[in-house]
Amino acid sequence: MEDERIRREIGATADGVSRAVAVGTTTSSSCRENHNNERSEHAYACACAKRTSPTSSPKRPRADMAKGQQQQGREPHKILCTGTDMQRESLEKPIGLAEVLGVGCSSGTVDLDTFIFTYRLEHRSAVSPSLAMHPGEERILIFASNRPGVVAKIVFSSSDPAAVAPVAASVGEIEVEAKIHVVDVKEAHRGQDLGGLLFVEAMQALRRRYSGRIIRCQLDAEEDVSRHNRLIIFYKRLGCSVKPNAKVQYLNNMHNDGEAYRKVPMVIVLRPATTSVVCSNTVPLSSNNSFLPVNRLLCEDGSEIALWDHPSDRRNRKLQWILIDDGRGHFRFRTTCGRHLFATSNGEVCVGGDGHDDSLVFTFQEASDNNPDNFHFVSDSEESDNDGEGYERSPLNTWVPSDTLWTIQTPGTRLFLTTDPCTKSLFLSPKATLWRTRNKDRNLTCLAKHSPRRIHCRNAWRCQTVASVNTWRRAFLKFELCTMSIKDALDLASTIPLYMYPVSGDECSSQSRSLRDFCYYVAEHFRRDGCPDWLVFVALVHELGRCVRLVEKGQKMVDEINNDDKHDYDWTVACHSRIVGCRRPSQASPVHDEFRTLCPDEGDPLYNTELGIYEEGCGLSDVHVLMQWSGPEYLYFMLRRNGATLPELALQIIRYFSLSDWHRHGKYSALSNASDEMNRSIVSEFDDTRRNARRECQNAPDLSDSECERLWDSIYCNIVAKYGCGGDLSW
């Protein structure tokens, strides 16, 4: 009686499945049977759920499941929630595919272009034998969250001859017979290799059921004759072969205007511990998983990330990836043919692996949230050379506010997934790298070149507060680090890269021009333009505040303060400076302004107004305002403390050239006075000139030690001494 009731429910919602003929959307010779007799998978699922749980009340769908199913009052096709599951979901929901790839829509309407997939394996013969069309029938079903019903499925069956007529042979010699009856993918979801995924999952289900046994699985590859063996090639890619001496049948399809089809018998033999195309130990899907095909894994320049089955295999094979979500905030990358990512001993990430246990598991952490622990490792970055104008001009700065940016980290470690800019391959690194996701193209793009600068600017927003600036002032304005001359500082700068990470071009060398070269090039640029000596002096020394981090005591002090605040932030690297103690002006330089909410002072009513703690027209001098603590700010105070006889304008240029919001965009006008406004254009002109010099020096040859010595002895030694800085200075 119960089976009859189930059949009535299924018949009420019968839904034929259309023939699939595309590669990756494969069909078998039972397609006509499938077309005429296939019943609604959704009705079957509901009936089975009612049968097994007659008293259970409907569970509310998870937030990342189909809005269409919610609107129609249907259960999402997931395993039923247990009490533990419901208790876990009542806590903070882990990041899922919906967040990572932007799936779903906030308006409450169904967006047919955004969806995730879920998976179910049915033992139909066991659940309801009367509904099984084949003895030992099993089905693997895939559901999409943007529509009810099945979007892809495979129907297969198996029988164990030994269970019927036991033989005296060893277990390893017994063959299990299996057959693929239907592989079908709805037309809207073709082209993502879901057919290949279903086939691999069916083979793994057979392996698990008949562990250690030899399995012979047969199928009939049926396609129209105009497709020129594309379906045969598809199955061969999955490890199948045409049966020897097989007889090819030609059929007329009455459902498709009489077009001729052919049916080719094929077979695959699954042996224990095989190394065929279909992996013996792949990362399995389960009813707890949701997944989504990833179109491409890209480097920042748009090129495909190179992935190989083994480090020694350097053939860049086309792989179709899916991202699997286990529902607990953990993700795996897997190919549709069952390969997964694993790490070698040197940190290189490859495709393959000998088993499930070594597959890499990742967590996604959003880069623009309020969790400062996303970034434990901070590199020096490009200095303040790019404000809003330069940012828009650079082809590599491709971030826009609508993108979602993530770090991809292995749980329990401080290792992040990133790319090698030379080989375009994946590896694990202690330095955080940003990945961009866009739902519209389903690509994951590694922003390895741009990440360190973003992370540095993010930490600048988080760390540069009134309290921290006062802490740094108290620590470093004692000038007890060391005694060092300008020449010594320039020699020390020879070990500091101008760019810790390349930001333009395709160069892969880990070595970039030194800061010393840059200082001499900029000074020479100003000198050859006929600028006064004091301005040439400023051009020579304006970046030497970065040397503080290389002084042993300075490094120790920076580390001590960083440890107290639980971050790793190098304030000596110039960033887009701002005045702390008041709100940063709106519509100022837009680079990384999305991180402003991370600054604790932004939420303090004492600091988050236009004037903040200052008086209108007070002026920008160090007596009246607190500037973001940086290398140029430190250098400004160091030169004052050591009695440099520079003009006041020279010191203002050193302090304000990185405050582009003021001198370039005209902000902070409520704080500046007449004297500041008189000098604003001069500071801006200096910054423009140093930018031009910076661009020129990128293509100029490196300066040798002897060339630097010659420039110092013949020119700059006298200029530095002229302004009272020829001897040792207190740093």
Side-chain angles (χ1 to χ4, degrees):
M1 292 294 293
E2 184 67 20
D3 289 344
E4 181 63 28
R5 183 181 64 79
I6 293 175
R7 279 194 288 271
R8 286 200 303 271
E9 290 189 30
I10 293 175
T13 56
D15 176 32
V17 179
S18 61
R19 179 185 299 273
V21 295
V23 173
T25 315
T26 55
T27 61
S28 72
S29 60
S30 300
C31 188
R32 291 178 302 282
E33 175 188 358
N34 176 36
H35 179 83
N36 295 324
N37 301 318
E38 183 66 12
R39 296 170 173 87
S40 169
E41 306 293 346
H42 176 73
Y44 172 85
C46 292
C48 292
K50 292 176 183 177
R51 183 179 185 186
T52 56
S53 303
T55 60
S56 63
S57 58
K59 308 293 189 297
R60 288 188 60 82
R62 286 179 50 161
D64 59 356
M65 296 305 295
K67 296 182 184 294
Q69 294 178 14
Q70 294 176 18
Q71 290 176 347
Q72 298 184 32
R74 295 179 174 180
E75 280 295 310
H77 301 283
K78 300 271 287 186
I79 191 169
L80 294 178
C81 295
T82 64
T84 304
D85 293 330
M86 295 177 66
Q87 188 177 33
R88 183 180 67 246
E89 290 188 10
S90 67
L91 303 175
E92 183 178 355
K93 185 177 180 295
I95 290 174
L97 281 174
E99 292 81 10
V100 170
L101 287 171
V103 176
C105 48
S106 58
S107 61
T109 60
V110 178
D111 184 350
L112 296 180
D113 294 326
T114 59
F115 54 86
I116 59 176
F117 291 118
T118 50
Y119 162 102
R120 186 173 72 231
L121 170 63
E122 282 184 0
H123 303 286
R124 178 163 285 199
S125 294
V127 175
S128 185
S130 61
L131 293 178
M133 301 177 65
H134 310 280
E137 180 179 316
E138 295 179 89
R139 298 186 174 208
I140 297 177
L141 311 175
I142 293 177
F143 305 89
S145 62
N146 66 331
R147 54 164 293 169
V150 176
V151 299
K153 69 177 179 180
I154 186 170
V155 180
F156 60 101
S157 61
S158 61
S159 61
D160 185 356
V164 179
V167 294
S170 63
V171 172
E173 297 174 347
I174 298 176
E175 282 197 350
V176 174
E177 297 291 341
K179 185 174 180 61
I180 303 291
H181 300 283
V182 175
V183 181
D184 180 72
V185 180
K186 296 289 187 181
E187 185 173 0
H189 297 281
R190 296 173 188 171
Q192 303 176 90
D193 201 26
L194 292 182
L197 175 64
L198 287 168
F199 184 90
V200 170
E201 288 300 311
M203 297 302 101
Q204 296 310 313
L206 291 171
R207 287 184 185 278
R208 290 190 294 270
R209 168 170 279 201
Y210 303 106
S211 177
R213 313 280 286 280
I214 300 175
I215 306 166
R216 182 174 61 194
C217 182
Q218 303 182 66
L219 65 139
D220 293 322
E222 181 181 329
E223 66 178 352
D224 64 88
V225 295
S226 64
R227 295 188 64 80
H228 306 294
N229 284 331
R230 289 179 64 184
L231 188 57
I232 308 300
I233 295 172
F234 168 76
Y235 278 124
K236 284 184 176 180
R237 177 174 68 85
L238 294 170
C240 300
S241 60
V242 177
K243 293 179 67 174
N245 303 319
K247 181 180 180 181
V248 179
Q249 299 183 32
Y250 289 87
L251 310 167
N252 287 325
N253 179 20
M254 67 180 65
H255 301 292
N256 199 15
D257 299 327
E259 191 170 339
Y261 279 73
R262 67 175 186 171
K263 182 170 66 174
V264 181
M266 301 189 74
V267 65
I268 182 172
V269 178
L270 307 177
R271 301 181 183 277
T274 184
T275 56
S276 64
V277 174
V278 180
C279 301
S280 59
N281 291 298
T282 187
V283 179
L285 291 172
S286 73
S287 296
N288 295 313
N289 300 150
S290 57
F291 69 93
L292 194 64
V294 175
N295 186 23
R296 291 192 299 168
L297 299 175
L298 300 175
C299 298
E300 189 166 6
D301 60 5
S303 61
E304 197 104 14
I305 292 175
L307 287 166
W308 300 281
D309 283 348
H310 191 272
S312 62
D313 180 8
R314 285 300 183 257
R315 292 171 295 174
N316 191 5
R317 301 177 178 179
K318 175 63 177 176
L319 300 171
Q320 178 64 58
W321 290 93
I322 61 174
L323 184 61
I324 303 173
D325 175 11
D326 70 354
R328 300 187 299 273
H330 293 165
F331 297 84
R332 278 189 172 96
F333 289 96
R334 207 201 87 172
T335 67
T336 50
C337 63
R339 305 287 182 183
H340 58 268
L341 295 180
F342 75 101
T344 63
S345 58
N346 64 357
E348 185 177 5
V349 175
C350 300
V351 182
D354 296 328
H356 175 193
D357 293 338
D358 66 350
S359 64
L360 289 172
V361 179
F362 298 100
T363 60
F364 281 69
Q365 293 292 330
E366 190 169 2
S368 57
D369 61 15
N370 290 316
N371 179 9
D373 294 329
N374 289 349
F375 303 100
H376 302 283
F377 301 88
V378 181
S379 300
D380 291 344
S381 59
E382 181 190 4
E383 291 77 355
S384 59
D385 230 24
N386 287 327
D387 63 2
E389 179 183 349
Y391 179 76
E392 296 166 356
R393 192 168 54 238
S394 173
L396 290 178
N397 295 331
T398 53
W399 182 86
V400 294
S402 60
D403 294 341
T404 307
L405 299 172
W406 306 87
T407 57
I408 305 177
Q409 184 178 4
T410 54
T413 71
R414 291 192 170 186
L415 295 177
F416 297 84
L417 188 65
T418 186
T419 57
D420 186 302
C422 299
T423 63
K424 312 282 187 186
S425 59
L426 289 174
F427 70 98
L428 296 177
S429 169
K431 293 184 179 180
T433 296
L434 297 178
W435 291 77
R436 179 183 64 212
T437 62
R438 286 177 176 172
N439 177 56
K440 64 180 181 180
D441 55 19
R442 298 256 170 85
N443 292 335
L444 278 174
T445 304
C446 182
L447 306 180
K449 291 184 177 180
H450 195 39
S451 294
R453 181 168 180 257
R454 281 189 57 83
I455 296 169
H456 178 77
C457 291
R458 181 186 191 275
N459 278 330
W461 271 106
R462 185 173 64 86
C463 301
Q464 293 279 0
T465 64
V466 171
S468 62
V469 168
N470 283 323
T471 298
W472 282 315
R473 279 193 171 195
R474 286 192 298 269
F476 289 95
L477 294 189
K478 297 176 182 178
F479 301 107
E480 297 174 348
L481 300 180
C482 67
T483 57
M484 182 169 56
S485 67
I486 297 295
K487 174 64 166 55
D488 294 335
L490 286 168
D491 290 342
L492 197 59
S494 66
T495 64
I496 303 175
L498 176 58
Y499 296 108
M500 288 295 291
Y501 215 95
V503 293
S504 62
D506 295 325
E507 64 272 21
C508 294
S509 173
S510 60
Q511 300 297 322
S512 64
R513 184 174 303 282
S514 73
L515 182 62
R516 181 185 66 176
D517 279 13
F518 170 67
C519 290
Y520 278 117
Y521 267 113
V522 175
E524 281 291 278
H525 187 96
F526 277 85
R527 188 178 68 84
R528 289 169 181 169
D529 280 353
C531 295
D533 286 349
W534 64 263
L535 195 55
V536 175
F537 177 96
V538 170
L540 180 69
V541 304
H542 73 285
E543 289 280 12
L544 291 183
R546 289 180 62 181
C547 295
V548 172
R549 192 77 188 248
L550 270 67
V551 176
E552 183 177 357
K553 189 174 180 181
Q555 174 70 64
K556 183 178 180 182
M557 290 174 62
V558 171
D559 290 344
E560 287 176 352
I561 296 174
N562 285 348
N563 288 335
D564 290 341
D565 290 342
K566 298 180 180 180
H567 66 261
D568 182 9
Y569 169 57
D570 187 358
W571 54 262
T572 66
V573 178
C575 195
H576 294 275
S577 291
R578 56 189 172 88
I579 296 174
V580 299
C582 66
R583 184 180 63 230
R584 183 178 183 180
S586 60
Q587 298 180 341
S589 176
V591 182
H592 311 309
D593 195 52
E594 70 273 14
F595 295 137
R596 67 160 59 230
T597 57
L598 301 182
C599 180
D601 288 355
E602 288 285 312
D604 191 327
L606 183 63
Y607 305 129
N608 65 2
T609 62
E610 182 182 18
L611 293 176
I613 59 176
Y614 309 115
E615 296 181 1
E616 186 172 2
C618 63
L620 303 182
S621 71
D622 62 271
V623 177
H624 298 115
V625 300
L626 290 173
M627 284 277 292
Q628 176 175 314
W629 188 247
S630 64
E633 179 78 347
Y634 170 83
L635 185 69
Y636 163 83
F637 281 104
M638 189 275 290
L639 292 173
R640 275 198 178 281
R641 171 64 177 267
N642 284 277
T645 57
L646 290 163
E648 184 64 28
L649 178 57
L651 295 171
Q652 288 189 15
I653 289 174
I654 291 173
R655 191 178 194 221
Y656 301 132
F657 78 87
S658 61
L659 187 63
S660 58
D661 286 348
W662 170 64
H663 66 73
R664 182 178 293 271
H665 301 289
K667 304 301 180 180
Y668 296 114
S669 57
L671 300 180
S672 61
N673 56 27
S675 176
D676 298 325
E677 292 303 309
M678 185 189 315
N679 295 329
R680 185 165 68 90
S681 61
I682 301 175
V683 176
S684 184
E685 185 177 353
F686 171 85
D687 192 43
D688 288 340
T689 305
R690 66 176 286 277
R691 289 170 184 270
N692 293 333
R694 190 186 193 103
R695 284 189 286 270
E696 290 176 8
C697 88
Q698 288 176 355
N699 300 319
D702 293 340
L703 294 175
S704 65
D705 290 343
S706 60
E707 287 176 307
C708 292
E709 289 291 334
R710 181 183 57 80
L711 286 171
W712 175 260
D713 292 338
S714 62
I715 301 172
Y716 295 101
C717 175
N718 296 327
I719 293 178
V720 169
K722 180 179 179 179
Y723 296 101
C725 298
D728 287 341
L729 307 177
S730 297
W731 292 69

